[in-house]
């Protein structure tokens, strides 16, 4: 796997902004996380050959290099020549074809059609072979679409918001199935999502896209733990973000919450904001470090957590068992200095 790579360096002028994406994937699963309309799907379509970038290069190396697109050398392989599997949001099954016909439709006449029954079995579609897409549930449709992709052994699988059309229960179930499937897949996979949980669960590497630009990239855990920029912290789910005034190398004042905090990392002059994740508070004594008074806090019960909003706007999430409905908000909360995220604008 180590000598494999997928290189993407593309630019394309869109209506609202210019898409400018540059990354190299050497193994495993990449996530592209970002808000709606930031250029995520356009990036996937450019890799698949559905859309042409204005300039740039897309190439795959699996021991030998295949150039999908190169604007300088006027190379632009047709989608069917790229050996890329694309899972669309709506699965794009052929409505007039049965399940087995849909699974087989990506194969050439030289392929072994025994793979169709293998895929039917692998994706638990036995008994549904003669049904049409309209006779299937959303989850079954997704499994047919994945079986169709994997039947022709693609080098790259592209997943465009694969769970957006599913209800919550089905989403959880299919997430687990897809995680296991992609772990066993020997090629590259790229998933586009605006759901930070999906990105965290699926992807070894993560790119965060905002208005067509890559604003963060790296190991998924590292990007979540140290987002560096305000917008990256927001997109990875940080609920508490405030402007700050730097007091000294290890202390700053939150201008939005009116609290002074001690931090564990030296504060550099480029720090303009701080973040605290909503699960990172703990009950405290009055004289602990980084203490916040909870007077006039409000609580909202969710099935598996309490959402506590403090009077100054800070938000605390506290896990709870489903059968416990009483909760006394402690008088004071604290946050560990190492859990304070230092952020640049």
């Amino acid at each position: 796997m180590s000598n494999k790579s997928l290189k993407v360096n593309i630019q394309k002028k869109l209506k609202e902004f210019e898409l400018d994406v540059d990354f190299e994937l050497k193994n495993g699963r990449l996530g592209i996380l970002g808000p709606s309309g930031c250029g995520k799907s356009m990036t996937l379509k450019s890799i698949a050959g559905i859309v042409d970038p204005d300039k740039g290069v897309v190439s795959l190396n699996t021991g030998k290099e295949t150039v999908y697109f190169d604007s300088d050398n006027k190379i632009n392989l047709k989608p069917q020549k790229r050996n890329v599997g694309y899972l669309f949001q709506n699965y794009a099954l052929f409505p007039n074809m049965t399940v087995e016909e849909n699974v087989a439709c990506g194969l050439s006449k030289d392929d072994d059609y025994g793979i169709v029954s293998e895929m039917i079995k692998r994706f638990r579609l036995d008994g549904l072979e003669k049904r049409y897409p309209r006779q299937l549930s959303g989850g079954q449709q997704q499994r047919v679409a994945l079986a169709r992709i994997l039947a022709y052994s693609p080098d790259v699988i592209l997943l465009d918001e694969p769970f957006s059309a599913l209800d919550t229960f089905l989403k959880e179930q299919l997430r687990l199935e897809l995680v296991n499937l992609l772990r066993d897949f020997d090629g590259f996979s790229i998933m586009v999502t605006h759901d930070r949980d999906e990105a965290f669960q699926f992807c070894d590497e993560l790119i965060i896209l905002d208005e067509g630009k890559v604003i963060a990239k790296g190991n998924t855990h590292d990007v979540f733990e140290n987002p560096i920029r305000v917008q990256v912290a927001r997109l990875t789910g940080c609920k508490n973000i405030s402007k700050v005034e730097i007091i000294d190398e290890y202390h700053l004042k939150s201008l939005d919450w009116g609290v002074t905090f001690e931090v564990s990392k030296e504060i550099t002059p480029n720090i303009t904001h701080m973040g605290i994740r909503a699960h990172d508070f703990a009950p405290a004594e009055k004289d602990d470090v980084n203490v916040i008074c909870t007077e006039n806090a409000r609580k909202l019960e969710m099935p598996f957590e309490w959402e506590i909003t403090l009077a100054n706007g800070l938000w605390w999430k506290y896990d709870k068992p489903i059968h416990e409905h009483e909760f006394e908000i402690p008088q004071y909360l604290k946050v560990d200095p190492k859990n304070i995220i230092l952020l640049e604008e």
Side-chain angles (χ1 to χ4, degrees), residues 29-33 40-41 44 86-91 123-124 137-146 157-183 189-203:
R29 308 177 298 274
L30 173 73
I32 303 180
L33 178 67
K40 302 187 301 291
S41 294
L44 284 199
Y86 197 118
L87 184 69
F88 292 90
Q89 281 183 31
N90 62 358
Y91 314 134
F123 285 91
R124 303 194 319 282
S137 69
Q140 288 165 340
Q141 286 182 27
Q142 190 187 81
R143 295 211 296 271
V144 173
L146 281 165
I157 295 178
L158 305 174
L159 305 135
D160 193 351
E161 303 268 8
F163 305 106
S164 58
L166 303 174
D167 63 49
T168 310
F169 172 71
L170 203 51
K171 202 179 275 193
E172 292 297 320
Q173 202 181 351
L174 286 171
R175 269 183 184 176
L176 287 171
E177 287 181 16
L178 198 49
V179 166
N180 292 327
L181 176 81
L182 294 179
R183 277 196 192 120
S189 60
I190 302 178
M191 176 191 281
V192 148
T193 181
H194 60 263
D195 183 314
R196 55 121 209 243
D197 292 348
E198 280 172 21
F200 191 86
Q201 190 176 21
F202 275 90
C203 308

Side-chain angles (χ1 to χ4, degrees), residues 20-35:
D20 185 358
V21 175
D22 182 9
F23 66 85
E24 181 176 2
L25 185 58
K26 288 191 178 289
N27 57 51
R29 308 177 298 274
L30 173 73
I32 303 180
L33 178 67

Side-chain angles (χ1 to χ4, degrees), residues 294 297-299 308-310 316 327-333:
T294 64
R298 288 176 300 173
K299 62 184 179 185
I308 317 293
T309 314
L310 305 192
W316 176 34
F327 176 62
E328 193 72 39
I329 300 174
Q331 193 176 353
Y332 298 101
L333 291 178

Side-chain angles (χ1 to χ4, degrees), residues 15 30 39 116 154 170 237 261 283 311:
K15 202 161 64 177
L30 173 73
V116 175
L170 203 51
F261 292 94

Side-chain angles (χ1 to χ4, degrees), residues 129-280:
E129 295 91 338
K130 304 298 179 195
R131 289 196 188 176
Y132 290 91
R134 65 179 177 277
Q135 299 169 307
L136 304 175
S137 69
Q140 288 165 340
Q141 286 182 27
Q142 190 187 81
R143 295 211 296 271
V144 173
L146 281 165
R148 177 174 68 185
I149 287 169
L150 285 171
Y152 61 83
S153 303
D155 295 311
V156 183
I157 295 178
L158 305 174
L159 305 135
D160 193 351
E161 303 268 8
F163 305 106
S164 58
L166 303 174
D167 63 49
T168 310
F169 172 71
L170 203 51
K171 202 179 275 193
E172 292 297 320
Q173 202 181 351
L174 286 171
R175 269 183 184 176
L176 287 171
E177 287 181 16
L178 198 49
V179 166
N180 292 327
L181 176 81
L182 294 179
R183 277 196 192 120
D184 296 339
F185 177 58
D186 189 37
F188 296 104
S189 60
I190 302 178
M191 176 191 281
V192 148
T193 181
H194 60 263
D195 183 314
R196 55 121 209 243
D197 292 348
E198 280 172 21
F200 191 86
Q201 190 176 21
F202 275 90
C203 308
D204 308 307
E205 299 286 316
L206 188 62
I207 283 174
I208 299 201
L209 212 54
D210 193 31
E211 295 196 336
K213 304 284 182 288
V214 175
I215 59 169
K217 63 179 169 182
N219 173 279
T220 300
H221 291 175
D222 293 344
V223 172
F224 271 77
E225 285 164 30
N226 188 20
I228 298 172
R229 295 173 68 171
V230 170
Q231 182 64 344
V232 178
R234 280 204 186 97
L235 289 168
T236 56
C238 184
K239 296 286 189 283
N240 301 304
I241 295 175
S242 167
K243 285 187 174 172
V244 298
E245 178 189 307
I246 298 172
I247 295 167
D248 61 35
E249 290 171 335
Y250 290 95
H251 294 86
L252 41 71
K253 183 179 180 183
S254 150
L255 299 179
D256 295 357
W257 311 317
V259 181
T260 298
F261 292 94
E262 180 181 310
V263 301
S264 63
K265 263 178 24 185
E266 191 175 327
I267 303 163
T268 51
N270 53 330
I271 297 302
T272 57
H273 290 71
M274 63 174 285
I276 305 173
R277 297 203 181 267
H279 285 96
D280 279 346

